[in-house]
Amino acid sequence: MPKNNVPIDTTGLPELDAALTGILAGDNVVWNVDDVGQYRRLATPYAEAAKRDGRKLVYFRFARHERLVPEGFCEECRLDAQAGFEVFLHQIHAVIGDHGLGAYYLFDCLSDLATNWCSDAMLGNFFMLTCPYLYRLDTVAYFGLLRGRHSRLAVEPVRATTQLFLEVFGRGETLYLLPIKTEFRHSPTIHLMLEWDGAKRLSVVRSSAVLTQVMGRVLPKAERIETYGDDVVRRTEEIVRAGAARGAEAAELKRQLVGMMVTRDESILPLVDEYFTLEDLLDVRWRMVGTGLIGGKTVGMLLARKIAERERPELGTQLEEHDSFYIGSDVFYSFMVRNGLWKIREMQHSADTFLDGVDEAQERILSGKFSNYEVRLFEKMLDYFGQYPVIVRSSSLLEDAFGNSFAGKYDSVFCANQGPLEERLRNFLDAIRSVYASSMSREALSYRERHGLLKRDEQMALLVMRVTGELQGNAFYPHLAGVGFSYNPFVWGPEIDPAAGVLRLVYGLGTRAVDRVDDDYTRVVALNAPLRRPEGSLDEIVRHTQRRVDFVDLAGGRLATGEFAELIERAQGVPVDLFTTETDGGGRFLTFDGLLTRTGFVENFRKLLETLEAAYGKPVDVEFAVNFMPDGKNYMINLLQCRPLQVQGTHNPHVPQVECPAEGILLAGRGAVVGHSRVERLDWLVLVVPDVYGALPERDRHPVARAVGAVNRALAPVSVGALAIGPGRWGTHMASLGVPVRFSEISRMTAICELMMMHDFLTPDVSLGTHFFGELVEMNVLYFALFPGREGNRLNLDALLAAPNRLAELAPEAAGLDHVLRVVRADDLSPEGTWLVADGIAREVNVSLCPPLRRHSAEG
């Protein structure tokens, strides 16, 4: 590394020097710009500082563009590039040699050299010969390059040879600088974008909303090798440039591009054809790595944005730009073949062998290799994102389709994206492998088997997204995130209109909205009555407020959780008054009441969900994040996902009264009920005995959950009505709070009941919008909670405890757990049957031995 010059070397912008941890003697600085005007604005403070400090400054003037500095400002060397490469090179090197150590140099924009020599390769050769010579003489030199004008034959040699390479973007009078290569230096913030107002002030861009406004329209045309379909792409580009994107040829090209990249699913094709233009398809092409399809999650995200922009332009202007990349589905298949996984893959087509070799397959995927070409493209993708966090999301061909959501079955992996490029690339490749491995998890394969999808082509494409949010010290997260349903399957009062839709909101990353958390709560909002909460009293509202926040920890390089009270003290730009309510004691807790009543948030989301449902022709389920702009009033919505909501029936039938003597009522619940009204005769009741289970050590509770799964599998071959009853939360990750089953272990149940008796303050979390809840809705499973001792709730387990336990018959391998797990055949309780009657509107559930509509006297 060269020593520093004296006085200290500078770009003329002290804050830029600090962001780059200093300019070093020997630095060659390349600015990749949209136009020469941007380069001139950056060259001016550099030249002025050199003159101020008494530097030897030489301006190499050879291009046809306007001057970078006024005539006579400094020593100038005029050159004729058309005299030939070797003559031009010799003249420049002679001047550099004459000036010796420590000089400063300013070069015209290099792009003119490629024009003069009719060769990108020669531009690259010139730089590779000149840059090292300057470096050895401890100089500082500025070069400009026009973005999008050159092939990799020019750009790659320049980037490989220079010490500093920065991308420059413009928006109005403001320039945005993104350091890409920073040789010999590193800091936690060195690859963050800088905003320059044209004066001396530079600041780090903290908000993804600003980042995507700057970069979302930049078409990052990835390096490509010649491959199938490139002729279609080239012809499409010609038609678009000519303004002839209509007619028979354009329609045929569109059909081919959609089939090549977007989807072949007949159920979604009409929407894609309606809302995607040829320009949209070209944008997809140039954001793709590899070939194949982009997958269902990506299609849903792009389609929702296009629908909103066209049908509700006023909402379209409030959508945060996306600048995602798509890793094509063919990359997944190539990875499988290259790493010797195809034989295991083939076994997954059969219901008899689909779980064979799963553990081995996942281990081999996690250590699998990518091609050098793919790795090079991944590096360029990370350069584009800078040091801002990204998320690698699954986007398989069947995911988020009509009829199959795959909610929570495949992984999404956050990358903090910190450290040197080598470290960031290593973590990024591990994230891709993790998502690929999740495609062969037991949960994912069981879902496919359950839905009859084992024989379907299920390739894993990937959606690589910039994490939406704002930089808050070492934490990065959005102001607000959540999920929304255009139809509300959870109606907790007569004034709630199911067709108005519902939201589930959290502060911070939306992970706490889509994954069922056991240590916290979220805000559920009915869009036609936003202040009508499921909780009844102020004490319940305070108790059920969100207290913990998920965020990307940039210092730790991981997903982390912190206390809201601590994070909000350090946060900047958060509209605290809109998000929180003050208690009598002066403290604040999250309610989002101000957001819901003093802004257009509720109306915007009601219109958005209504518009998407109208286009899809059925209810939809979306994920989103919201970031407020620096003014604290306006906000941008980032639509992260959209898929059809798998609601089996959108009505609540009339529910008959059930009159039954006390001894005939097994369960009566009032309060937390999720699901449609129904009357159903049960065949089986599965009970986790509360007092026995509560006395077990936590390590002994997991085998009970696996035993429930064994019973569930035994019930799979026949269609039955089955009720699972257990203490605490079903599907919890913490065995101290309930029964830690996976959904595949209760998937054959008609209904699940949570007995709120595991902990003094344990209350049912309305898991609306979570992957767990999505499975309940998709499979039409009724959920309800029962509060022993509370008015309207009744628990009588004597009959279940006295009936024969059929556990050993259904799941012999679990027979040793018959003291804690009871499986009761309904006919053993009463020859007239065991009946479940649920009223979703009144939020009441009754499980009794009395058939509905049949009246019994008080004496029985």
Side-chain angles (χ1 to χ4, degrees):
M1 185 188 304
K3 294 183 293 184
N4 279 315
N5 285 328
V6 178
I8 296 174
D9 291 307
T10 180
T11 62
L13 299 171
E15 289 171 310
L16 176 58
D17 297 343
L20 296 172
T21 68
I23 299 298
L24 306 176
D27 273 347
N28 291 279
V29 185
V30 178
W31 301 95
N32 201 31
V33 297
D34 291 318
D35 55 60
V36 175
Q38 292 177 350
Y39 181 37
R40 184 184 302 108
R41 290 179 64 184
L42 293 158
T44 298
Y46 163 74
E48 290 174 345
K51 191 171 184 178
R52 178 199 66 205
D53 294 340
R55 301 285 191 188
K56 293 182 288 186
L57 174 63
V58 179
Y59 174 30
F60 286 116
R61 177 71 171 140
F62 51 81
R64 288 179 288 272
H65 61 67
E66 293 183 6
R67 302 179 59 86
L68 298 177
V69 293
E71 196 162 354
F73 181 85
C74 62
E75 181 180 338
E76 187 170 315
C77 179
R78 288 178 176 271
L79 301 159
D80 182 6
Q82 292 183 331
F85 173 81
E86 194 165 348
V87 172
F88 182 83
L89 182 71
H90 175 76
Q91 290 175 335
I92 283 183
H93 282 218
V95 172
I96 294 170
D98 289 343
H99 284 79
L101 295 171
Y104 270 38
Y105 295 97
L106 174 62
F107 287 75
D108 270 345
C109 184
L110 295 179
S111 296
D112 260 24
L113 295 179
T115 303
N116 286 317
W117 296 331
C118 301
S119 172
D120 275 346
M122 295 312 295
L123 187 160
N125 290 336
F126 166 77
F127 197 85
M128 285 193 294
L129 292 170
T130 304
C131 175
Y133 190 29
L134 293 164
Y135 175 82
R136 290 194 298 272
L137 293 174
D138 289 356
T139 69
V140 177
Y142 261 36
F143 303 87
L145 202 63
L146 294 178
R147 180 172 34 253
R149 286 273 295 274
H150 304 285
S151 71
R152 64 184 183 87
L153 296 176
V155 178
E156 286 190 357
V158 171
R159 282 191 49 178
T161 313
T162 192
Q163 284 70 52
L164 292 169
F165 188 98
L166 297 93
E167 296 280 0
V168 182
F169 307 95
R171 191 157 66 97
E173 293 299 312
T174 304
L175 290 186
Y176 295 87
L177 317 178
L178 180 63
I180 299 297
K181 183 180 181 183
T182 54
E183 192 171 62
F184 304 131
R185 67 210 87 190
H186 177 70
S187 79
T189 59
I190 200 167
H191 295 292
L192 298 181
M193 182 177 282
L194 302 166
E195 180 179 342
W196 183 39
D197 61 6
K200 297 294 184 183
R201 189 183 67 82
L202 280 90
S203 58
V204 170
V205 176
R206 299 171 47 245
S207 170
S208 66
V210 175
L211 283 167
T212 54
Q213 282 179 349
V214 173
M215 301 185 70
R217 298 297 185 186
V218 177
L219 204 60
K221 294 190 176 182
E223 171 199 343
R224 306 194 63 83
I225 57 174
E226 285 295 318
T227 187
Y228 176 82
D230 280 357
D231 56 333
V232 178
V233 173
R234 284 191 289 268
R235 180 57 184 152
T236 303
E237 288 180 315
E238 292 170 0
I239 283 182
V240 169
R241 280 196 299 268
R246 296 184 182 275
E249 183 183 12
E252 176 57 22
L253 290 170
K254 184 176 182 180
R255 185 192 65 78
Q256 291 183 58
L257 288 173
V258 168
M260 282 166 43
M261 303 182 304
V262 181
T263 186
R264 296 162 200 156
D265 184 347
E266 295 292 337
S267 62
I268 203 74
L269 271 173
L271 283 174
V272 171
D273 184 59
E274 172 70 20
Y275 287 99
F276 279 48
T277 65
L278 283 179
E279 291 89 338
D280 297 330
L281 296 172
L282 288 174
D283 183 73
V284 169
R285 178 66 164 182
W286 293 119
R287 291 179 180 274
M288 280 189 73
V289 172
T291 58
L293 299 173
I294 58 177
K297 186 172 291 180
T298 302
V299 173
M301 181 269 290
L302 294 175
L303 187 57
R305 289 171 172 272
K306 293 302 173 185
I307 292 170
E309 288 170 1
R310 183 188 300 183
E311 304 298 340
R312 295 277 188 176
E314 72 280 10
L315 290 180
T317 60
Q318 283 197 260
L319 293 183
E320 183 175 322
E321 295 275 3
H322 87 91
D323 55 355
S324 309
F325 286 83
Y326 324 117
I327 300 177
S329 56
D330 290 354
V331 177
F332 171 72
Y333 269 177
S334 298
F335 182 90
M336 295 289 114
V337 173
R338 187 185 302 119
N339 290 284
L341 287 151
W342 198 252
K343 184 176 180 180
I344 298 176
R345 181 76 177 176
E346 285 188 320
M347 290 192 294
Q348 293 168 1
H349 290 293
S350 169
D352 296 327
T353 61
F354 74 97
L355 292 178
D356 292 356
V358 166
D359 295 333
E360 178 191 351
Q362 290 192 307
E363 289 176 6
R364 291 171 69 175
I365 290 174
L366 293 174
S367 60
K369 305 296 183 185
F370 295 91
S371 72
N372 291 334
Y373 170 69
E374 291 162 350
V375 171
R376 187 164 66 248
L377 295 182
F378 296 153
E379 286 179 340
K380 291 188 175 183
M381 191 188 306
L382 293 179
D383 280 344
Y384 175 84
F385 285 122
Q387 245 173 308
Y388 294 91
V390 299
I391 181 171
V392 180
R393 307 186 72 190
S394 66
S395 183
S396 79
L397 301 196
L398 298 179
E399 195 171 1
D400 290 357
F402 282 83
N404 312 300
S405 71
F406 282 86
K409 296 298 171 285
Y410 299 139
D411 286 351
S412 292
V413 182
F414 285 91
C415 296
N417 201 24
Q418 301 297 293
L421 178 60
E422 296 77 12
E423 180 182 344
R424 292 189 285 136
L425 177 63
R426 182 168 60 252
N427 293 335
F428 183 73
L429 294 178
D430 285 343
I432 294 176
R433 294 186 188 102
S434 293
V435 180
Y436 281 176
S438 71
S439 71
M440 293 194 178
S441 70
R442 283 183 166 78
E443 280 291 289
L445 292 170
S446 297
Y447 182 95
R448 289 177 60 191
E449 185 272 335
R450 199 158 63 241
H451 288 262
L453 301 173
L454 289 177
K455 297 186 183 300
R456 292 281 299 276
D457 190 7
E458 173 65 332
Q459 293 173 252
M460 180 59 74
L462 299 174
L463 172 59
V464 183
M465 305 183 80
R466 185 188 300 278
V467 175
T468 183
E470 192 165 70
L471 189 63
Q472 305 283 8
N474 287 323
F476 193 95
Y477 57 87
H479 294 153
L480 169 70
V483 294
F485 289 179
S486 65
Y487 180 86
N488 183 0
F490 174 41
V491 175
W492 56 87
E495 70 275 34
I496 304 298
D497 178 10
V502 63
L503 303 179
R504 177 177 162 105
L505 305 179
V506 296
Y507 180 78
L509 290 174
T511 44
R512 298 185 84 78
V514 298
D515 296 321
R516 193 176 196 195
V517 293
D518 298 308
D519 59 351
D520 212 359
Y521 299 93
T522 60
R523 177 68 196 269
V524 178
V525 180
L527 289 176
N528 77 302
L531 296 184
R532 177 64 168 92
R533 301 182 61 132
E535 301 87 359
S537 66
L538 179 60
D539 286 344
E540 283 187 324
I541 290 173
V542 173
R543 185 185 302 166
H544 294 170
T545 188
Q546 179 190 351
R547 291 179 172 82
R548 296 171 63 76
V549 179
D550 286 352
F551 61 92
V552 179
D553 178 5
L554 302 183
R558 60 188 177 87
L559 194 65
T561 301
E563 296 295 326
F564 169 73
E566 296 176 3
L567 288 168
I568 199 66
E569 286 185 0
R570 303 192 296 268
Q572 302 177 44
V574 177
V576 177
D577 290 342
L578 294 179
F579 285 12
T580 63
T581 298
E582 190 170 2
T583 64
D584 292 338
R588 287 190 171 273
F589 63 100
L590 272 167
T591 60
F592 301 108
D593 282 355
L595 175 77
L596 303 176
T597 58
R598 304 204 303 270
T599 74
F601 182 84
V602 169
E603 185 62 20
N604 281 347
F605 269 89
R606 187 164 181 178
K607 289 179 179 178
L608 177 62
L609 292 171
E610 178 185 87
T611 301
L612 293 174
E613 179 175 317
Y616 270 82
K618 65 182 306 179
V620 295
D621 162 10
V622 302
E623 291 181 23
F624 61 88
V626 174
N627 295 296
F628 275 78
M629 302 303 285
D631 61 14
K633 299 177 181 179
N634 297 306
Y635 54 84
M636 303 297 289
I637 301 168
N638 197 329
L639 262 180
L640 304 173
Q641 183 172 314
C642 179
R643 61 190 172 203
L645 177 61
Q646 313 303 331
V647 179
Q648 297 190 22
T650 55
H651 67 287
N652 283 279
H654 172 71
V655 179
Q657 292 290 321
V658 176
E659 295 186 9
C660 197
E663 62 269 19
I665 298 176
L666 302 178
L667 303 174
R670 178 184 297 173
V673 178
V674 178
H676 301 295
S677 301
R678 67 194 71 194
V679 177
E680 185 163 352
R681 180 166 182 163
L682 297 174
D683 300 291
W684 294 92
L685 294 94
V686 180
L687 171 68
V688 177
V689 183
D691 55 346
V692 180
Y693 186 79
L696 292 177
E698 287 188 35
R699 66 177 180 275
D700 293 339
R701 295 179 180 180
H702 292 276
V704 177
R706 304 294 82 78
V708 172
V711 173
N712 187 71
R713 288 192 297 274
L715 297 178
V718 292
S719 178
V720 297
L723 168 64
I725 308 164
R729 295 177 179 167
W730 287 100
T732 178
H733 296 294
M734 300 170 63
S736 61
L737 296 180
V739 187
V741 294
R742 296 179 288 268
F743 186 82
S744 60
E745 293 173 315
I746 55 170
S747 60
R748 306 296 175 177
M749 301 295 151
T750 303
I752 58 174
C753 171
E754 296 182 344
L755 304 176
M756 294 297 107
M757 53 198 309
M758 287 287 293
H759 188 284
D760 287 345
F761 295 105
L762 182 67
T763 56
D765 175 34
V766 180
S767 303
L768 189 70
T770 64
H771 295 144
F772 182 85
F773 178 83
E775 292 263 31
L776 295 179
V777 174
E778 186 173 339
M779 300 300 292
N780 201 25
V781 177
L782 179 75
Y783 157 91
F784 65 99
L786 190 148
F787 302 80
R790 184 180 293 186
E791 182 181 355
N793 290 260
R794 181 180 298 179
L795 175 62
N796 178 6
L797 298 180
D798 290 344
L800 296 178
L801 295 175
N805 190 348
R806 307 282 186 174
L807 175 63
E809 299 174 23
L810 290 183
E813 67 273 29
L817 294 171
D818 59 356
H819 62 298
V820 65
L821 180 62
R822 300 190 63 82
V823 181
V824 176
R825 188 191 298 274
D827 288 349
D828 289 338
L829 296 173
S830 169
E832 296 188 5
T834 301
W835 294 85
L836 181 149
V837 179
D839 188 329
I841 299 295
R843 294 193 298 157
E844 295 179 350
V845 176
N846 187 296
V847 179
S848 72
L849 304 181
C850 304
L853 302 179
R854 181 174 178 180
R855 304 179 66 86
H856 290 254
S857 66
E859 294 79 17

